[in-house]
Amino acid sequence: MLRKFLYIAITKRLCMIMRIFISQLFFFLITLTTVTSQAQSEELPNRLFKVHDTYRETTLTQRRFKQKDILPLIAKRQGNPLYKIETVGESFEGRTLQMIKVGNGKKKVLLWTQMHGDEPTATMASFDIFNFLEGKNDGFDDFRKELLENTTLYFVPMLNPDGAERYQRRTMQGVDMNRDAASRQTPEAVVLKGLVDKLKPDYGFNLHDQSPRYSAGRSAKVATISFLATSYDYELNINPVRERSMQLIVGMNKILQKYIPGQVARYSDDHEPRGFGDNVQKWGTTLVLIESGGYVGDPEKQYIRKLNFMAILSALDKIADNSLTKEKRDDYYKIPENGRWVYDLVVRNATVKQSGKSFLADLGINRNEVSYSNATKFFYYSKIEDFGDLHPQFGSQEIDATGLTIEKGKVYPTTYKNVSEVSKLNALSLLKQGYTYVRLTPDSNTRALGLYFTTTPLHVLRSGQAAPSGTPGLGNTATFILKKGAVVKYAVINGFVYDLDNFATGEGNGIIE
Ligand SMILES: [Zn+2]
């Protein structure tokens, strides 16, 4: 009896141990599978980020390229069995619009760039993607195979080549084609609508650049990438088409946070009945809008181009293997909205003396790009764009001017024949004496020479150009000095700051006005 009892007890105990062991084993296996699959899905973006330099299209090095710069990049792919290249129409000014098809999968993805002529970041990234798709034996062969077997990608790079020629947002007709989806008075809009009708893509990527001066939410950080899952109605409803767009964005946001923490935002999802994004979503294509914004120290957006490359390919991967459905759509709303303006420079708490009185003010200064040489180049022309209490706003660069008085600089009494004479001056010595302006003689014709700026950190006045009067304030060119008592501490020339105690020569952004 006792023996039997003991036998049952031991058996029961063994059973229990076995059960615990088996359940633990299951738990372990499940954990292992989850961890492994997570590691794989996390791994691809990192690997893409690293490999980008290998596949960067080296002929595109800055933003102001034209259609003539990308035509050879398309032409050299003619006859490559990877692609099918098709002329799909022409711009108002007669430039051909071409579509590059790659892949043979069921899921159709239409990607277009630069419908705004001065928004070229994703065009650069598209050519990096083509180079990448042509690669071999670099550890990405399985990814390429999966991608091109499951998706068919239709790229239309630089949809607005006339605008790109002038480096302007609008088309040759002066129309914003992202407000022309309904009326379609531009041939470029007709082409895009035609492609959406003909291809009936499952997914669309509407690739733009936004002002580099939006903050992400209320933070001081600029929004480097902003997303939008466009709304197809005023009620901001979410059908499965739009839900997938939110899921894709949630996935891309997670990836980007590692590289640009806190610098991803989303556009307000107000419905725009004339916008392509909104209408394409309405017509049944899951539409993702990507806006490349700003990144401090990257004026030519070469780092943002790399982020585009990584984010777009990672999103295509999520489409190819359908893993986008794992993302929670509500996380979309956790991404902060595009916030306030971040100025290029904020001067805080400067003492302003005016009409015998004094008060404190902050200055918000922007370094605006001005095109020249057929919009192939630009110089900066900087203005004081806000004045007063700017405490809720931020600057990409800030100076604490507490205890410093702002004054306009003086005009140096000697005049100079040309800019090269000006460049020989000891700028530091002049600035320390409070001279910010140097005047040219009447026979000096810098305009004819195409000279609008100088690397000498001085504000050069052409003959006849009046020096500003009064205290520097709203709307003025951002040239002034900041003094502590009688000593000039900082000179600001054309919106660029020179610390006179730590003066570095030869890197100025002076202006010829
Ligand atoms: Zn745009």
Side-chain angles (χ1 to χ4, degrees), residues 143-202:
F143 168 65
R144 288 188 194 96
K145 189 166 178 285
E146 192 203 21
L147 181 65
L148 300 181
E149 278 177 0
N150 288 297
T151 66
T152 305
L153 311 175
Y154 302 87
F155 283 90
V156 186
M158 199 187 275
L159 193 53
N160 175 8
D162 303 349
E165 197 63 27
R166 296 159 177 82
Y167 206 68
Q168 69 182 26
R169 175 182 177 88
R170 292 178 179 241
T171 67
M172 172 70 184
Q173 289 158 276
V175 172
D176 178 345
M177 61 164 298
N178 210 22
R179 301 289 178 271
D180 196 32
S183 166
R184 297 191 291 282
Q185 296 304 301
T186 59
E188 297 87 353
V190 172
V191 165
L192 183 54
K193 172 71 161 87
L195 289 174
V196 174
D197 286 348
K198 189 177 112 186
L199 302 170
K200 299 185 173 52
D202 303 287

Side-chain angles (χ1 to χ4, degrees), residues 115-116 119 169 178 207-210 291:
M115 66 156 61
H116 292 142
E119 301 181 5
R169 175 182 177 88
N178 210 22
L207 302 167
H208 289 252
D209 284 60
Q210 68 181 6
E291 299 270 3

